[in-house]
Amino acid sequence: MFWELGHLATHNLMRARARLAMTSGGVLVGTAAVVLLVAMTVGLQTAAEQGIGQSGALTEVMVGPSYEYNPNSDVEPPQLTPAMVERLWRIPGVSVVVPLVNFQSWGELLADDYSGGGQIMGVDARLLPYMGIEVAEGTLTLERGQVLVGSQIPINFYDPQATEYRPIQVDVLNTPLEMRTFSPRGEERRLDLSPVGILAPNPNYDYAIIMPVQQVISLNEWLNGERADPRDFKYDFALIRAESREQTTAISDAIKEMGFSAGGLGDFINQLNGFFTTMRLVLGGVGGVALLVAAFGVANTMTMAILERTREIGLMKAVGATDRDVLTVFLIEAALVGLVGGALGVLISYLAGEGINQGIANLAQQAAQSGQGSGPMFLPVDISQLQAGLVIIPTELALFGLGLATSVGIIAGLLPALRAARMTTVVALKTE
Amino acid sequence: MTQGIEVRNVHKLFRIGDAQLHVLKSVSLTIGAGEFVGIMGPSGSGKSTLLYLIGGLDRPTDGQIAVGGARLDTMSSDDLAYFRSQTVGFVFQSFHLVPTLTALENVALPGIFAKVPHDARMAHATALLHKLKMSDRAEHRPSQLSGGQQQRVAIARALFNDPPIIMCDEPTGALDTQTGRLVMRMLRALCTRAGKTVVVVTHDPGIENYADRMILLRDGRVIDDYATRQRPALDALEESVPNP
């Protein structure tokens, strides 16, 4: 029955092809506007996510003392005690907790005649694989006396005798390396270090010297001149790895609830996604205006069609069509106008998107050849990050475009179709 | 219950702006199953309105209408549509064919709403056109047919669901005399051979040669109702008349 009515509707549509083409043309423009603008936000979001870094960083949440601590408050700020670390492990969605201890002073590095330095941090060697770090050279292992150094450390040595500062690169893996530090009491301490790996660039650890945690604890004991009491031992910060990026926000919230500061790239990305969602809604809304205009076109066409075919509507009813049958015929017509426009709109979007991406790729190439930086300024991201293209149309978006256009047709056709369905048979038959 | 038509104290008022037009004033009549009834009257006498009311195309303002025992005045809109589909076939002065459909598709149109499957629909429509000697015009569109041919297509369409009642509003009004006569003979044959109830509204006094009974209306009232003197003989019918 539905197909029979659909066939009738198709027949009706084909009798006014020019009008169908123009009305669908309006829907085409609207659909293409929505799809292309939304596809652009998808492209920008993809580029932004790629720009942010490796996926490992996205599941991290860094936990530290709260910045909102009020010294006048009676409430003691929470500390990252081993017991507290236990509690962090139990937060839903947490995969691993890597507690870290900072050396409470600066470590100066001495290699040959050159001097360098970094922030010393201690970690349980067994947890190294979960820190989201990779070695550019050497191995990702740690034993007493061994260190891993951040990517900036080997290239930021200098000659203390020189009058002018000039960074010098030292092959730390093959040069005897010594660390020197001073206590508040004025004592000097020297320590032989054997670097086993240089970390790949990672903003969190570029200036880090990573040691086994026990060694950092004993360095701190020496610095403070007293033995650490295991009962009030506390870590300085902790790195939490979430099971998935989506869980980072909830984990951050839970940790903030406990009185710590918490944040990470995943959290940031989630906020970024919120921004892109807003952008998508705004741009989709802009395209939606075009579609709204098209909806008026569909409504107008359907109203005209119904006026022209009033006698036919009367006849259909006279030979047994129910109000619902008439409604269905005209709604199918309106839906088809939307569907045709939507399908063409999606097709045009793919073609236009392909063209835009090609154009951007050419611009990027030109920019690269001329040695200039990031290319045109009108884009909020570095053009070189748009490898996947500025316009990305996922299948869901294409289907959404089709569905939206069809819905617009149906909604725009609803009032005219209802009017047709409610026509009094006799009046419709007698209309000239 | 036979497909007799009963009309009791029917009124029909049309509102035109502020004015009310009282088109039918307490009309009562009975039409028996298998009768061929002609309804005549001057323009504005309400004869077409009466036809539409008993055909279920419109509802009376007051009064009762029953066809085959079923009350049309109280029927739901959907039931009325089903009634029109199954019980009556309409033939109009201006044919009312859908211009974009072929003759065959026009004949089959009632089958869509009666939920007849496509193939059965087309086969039945083809058979009907054949009986009306219109087979060679099956794929023509209405604009390619003469008035008489168009009216034959319309009659075939009226017969599609094999309704017991055929209602005609000025069926010969747009046809020349010769063709008009042919159409009237076909209607007569439907009554005599197939036992259909035929109700014809017309200006044409020649109807008396075909109808069993005449009802005359003026100013919305029945002013005369009589049997025609002579029941028309069947042997006057031509071969082109359908024999459903």
Side-chain angles (χ1 to χ4, degrees):
Chain A
M1 181 70 175
F2 183 82
W3 293 112
E4 304 286 359
L5 296 179
H7 181 250
L8 205 58
T10 317
H11 217 99
N12 288 334
L13 274 180
M14 294 319 282
R15 70 169 83 171
R17 290 186 184 82
R19 196 159 57 191
L20 168 67
M22 283 185 276
T23 313
S24 290
V27 180
L28 181 161
V29 171
T31 309
V34 171
V35 171
L36 274 178
L37 286 171
V38 173
M40 229 172 265
T41 68
V42 176
L44 288 176
Q45 186 170 4
T46 308
E49 287 187 11
Q50 283 170 350
I52 277 165
Q54 69 276 54
S55 57
L58 300 181
T59 55
E60 280 175 18
V61 177
M62 292 297 279
V63 183
S66 174
Y67 307 122
E68 289 163 20
Y69 169 60
N70 176 2
N72 298 323
S73 164
D74 294 338
V75 185
E76 280 282 313
Q79 304 287 354
L80 274 172
T81 59
M84 190 61 85
V85 169
E86 286 283 314
R87 275 181 65 187
L88 294 179
W89 272 98
R90 287 197 292 269
I91 294 173
V94 168
S95 154
V96 179
V97 180
V98 182
L100 295 142
V101 176
N102 281 337
F103 176 47
Q104 288 156 9
S105 181
W106 180 252
E108 188 187 4
L109 294 179
L110 305 170
D112 293 339
D113 296 331
Y114 304 124
S115 186
Q119 170 63 51
I120 295 165
M121 52 176 78
V123 64
D124 185 328
R126 289 167 300 178
L127 295 176
L128 274 176
Y130 305 103
M131 285 179 72
I133 52 177
E134 288 168 15
V135 283
E137 273 181 73
T139 55
L140 191 66
T141 55
L142 215 50
E143 280 169 33
R144 191 165 180 85
Q146 294 182 333
V147 290
L148 293 163
V149 297
S151 62
Q152 289 291 323
I153 290 193
I155 56 174
N156 277 299
F157 281 84
Y158 62 97
D159 182 356
Q161 310 298 325
T163 50
E164 200 177 314
Y165 173 77
R166 192 169 54 87
I168 294 163
Q169 183 166 359
V170 169
D171 179 7
V172 292
L173 295 184
N174 299 304
T175 309
L177 198 66
E178 202 177 15
M179 188 198 84
R180 180 171 65 177
T181 187
F182 297 92
S183 78
R185 307 178 294 278
E187 297 161 339
E188 180 188 308
R189 178 149 182 198
R190 284 176 178 247
L191 199 64
D192 283 333
L193 299 180
S194 43
V196 288
I198 299 170
L199 300 181
N202 180 326
N204 287 334
Y205 307 104
D206 280 346
Y207 292 94
I209 299 166
I210 299 175
M211 285 184 187
V213 66
Q214 280 308 322
Q215 202 163 357
V216 176
I217 291 170
S218 44
L219 275 173
N220 279 337
E221 285 176 339
W222 169 81
L223 194 71
N224 296 328
E226 59 181 30
R227 285 197 65 81
D229 182 348
R231 278 169 302 181
D232 42 70
F233 173 78
K234 56 185 172 35
Y235 294 96
D236 292 296
F237 59 104
L239 185 156
I240 288 181
R241 188 154 302 283
E243 284 162 5
S244 73
R245 189 184 90 198
E246 286 67 32
Q247 287 165 308
T248 55
T249 304
I251 291 172
S252 289
D253 289 347
I255 291 166
K256 284 171 189 161
E257 194 70 24
M258 289 161 70
F260 294 102
S261 75
L265 272 183
D267 211 6
F268 172 66
I269 290 256
N270 290 343
Q271 286 172 22
L272 197 68
N273 284 348
F275 164 75
F276 277 112
T277 303
T278 310
M279 185 173 170
R280 198 161 295 162
L281 287 176
V282 170
L283 287 182
V286 171
V289 171
L291 208 46
L292 186 69
V293 174
F296 282 104
V298 175
N300 181 45
T301 294
M302 291 311 294
T303 307
M304 291 302 296
I306 281 154
L307 283 179
E308 277 172 13
R309 278 157 38 202
T310 302
R311 278 158 58 89
E312 261 175 66
I313 294 164
L315 175 84
M316 287 199 291
K317 290 188 160 194
V319 300
T322 61
D323 292 0
R324 181 179 289 271
D325 291 336
V326 175
L327 184 76
T328 308
V329 168
F330 283 98
L331 279 186
I332 293 175
E333 278 194 50
L336 282 174
V337 171
L339 183 65
V340 168
L344 291 175
V346 169
L347 185 70
I348 296 280
S349 300
Y350 273 113
L351 295 177
E354 201 58 40
I356 291 170
N357 290 345
Q358 195 60 50
I360 293 217
N362 291 346
L363 278 178
Q365 209 170 7
Q366 281 169 21
Q369 279 166 3
S370 64
Q372 285 171 0
S374 60
M377 291 304 293
F378 61 86
L379 290 173
V381 290
D382 188 334
I383 197 166
S384 62
Q385 288 172 358
L386 289 169
Q387 300 107 334
L390 174 63
V391 178
I392 297 177
I393 306 176
T395 312
E396 297 94 319
L397 178 58
L399 292 177
F400 171 76
L402 274 183
L404 186 66
T406 310
S407 310
V408 163
I410 292 174
I411 292 167
L414 190 59
L415 275 181
L418 275 173
R419 203 172 132 192
R422 287 178 183 154
M423 275 179 187
T424 312
T425 313
V426 170
V427 177
L429 274 172
K430 295 209 152 184
T431 304
E432 289 306 321
Chain B
M1 196 81 194
T2 56
Q3 297 292 347
I5 300 165
E6 296 208 38
V7 178
R8 290 281 164 269
N9 301 319
V10 160
H11 290 262
K12 182 66 187 179
L13 282 85
F14 288 109
R15 201 178 296 273
I16 300 164
D18 287 340
Q20 272 193 347
L21 203 55
H22 204 156
V23 179
L24 291 180
K25 298 161 185 165
S26 194
V27 170
S28 296
L29 53 86
T30 305
I31 296 173
E35 258 190 305
F36 190 134
V37 177
I39 300 178
M40 285 188 68
S43 293
S45 61
K47 55 189 190 303
S48 289
T49 301
L50 179 61
L51 185 81
Y52 293 148
L53 288 180
I54 60 183
L57 292 175
D58 204 355
R59 293 170 189 274
T61 311
D62 194 16
Q64 302 169 3
I65 299 172
V67 174
R71 286 276 297 274
L72 301 191
D73 51 297
T74 55
M75 238 180 220
S76 75
S77 166
D78 280 358
D79 288 344
L80 218 46
Y82 184 72
F83 165 80
R84 292 192 296 262
S85 164
Q86 298 299 314
T87 313
V88 290
F90 290 97
V91 177
F92 302 97
Q93 176 177 6
S94 51
F95 322 130
H96 275 297
L97 300 177
V98 179
T100 50
L101 300 182
T102 63
L104 187 69
E105 288 168 332
N106 265 291
V107 174
L109 190 63
I112 292 181
F113 306 113
K115 300 178 174 57
V116 179
H118 178 269
D119 292 350
R121 209 163 68 222
M122 287 307 162
H124 187 41
T126 305
L128 280 170
L129 280 180
H130 180 72
K131 280 177 182 165
L132 288 168
K133 298 217 180 317
M134 287 285 293
S135 294
D136 55 336
R137 296 281 188 273
E139 296 305 321
H140 288 56
R141 298 195 190 273
S143 59
Q144 298 165 310
L145 299 174
S146 72
Q149 288 169 334
Q150 288 190 59
Q151 198 59 303
R152 273 196 269 173
V153 172
I155 290 171
R157 181 181 64 195
L159 293 172
F160 186 89
N161 287 326
D162 196 21
I165 303 172
I166 303 294
M167 296 201 184
C168 311
D169 189 10
E170 303 272 10
T172 59
L175 304 175
D176 60 61
T177 318
Q178 194 73 25
T179 318
R181 257 186 227 142
L182 175 65
V183 167
M184 289 312 276
R185 284 197 199 105
M186 287 167 65
L187 293 173
R188 180 66 239 181
L190 284 172
C191 178
T192 310
R193 287 183 184 163
K196 307 257 185 227
T197 308
V198 178
V199 183
V200 176
V201 161
T202 184
H203 275 105
D204 179 6
I207 179 86
E208 287 210 26
N209 297 324
Y210 304 95
D212 302 323
R213 176 184 162 198
M214 293 301 300
I215 295 171
L216 300 189
L217 261 71
R218 184 183 292 160
D219 295 333
R221 294 180 202 279
V222 176
I223 56 162
D224 205 352
D225 184 344
Y226 60 93
T228 51
R229 273 159 290 174
Q230 200 174 358
R231 203 179 165 100
L234 251 186
D235 44 354
L237 301 170
E238 285 180 6
E239 272 300 296
S240 61
V241 172
N243 189 11

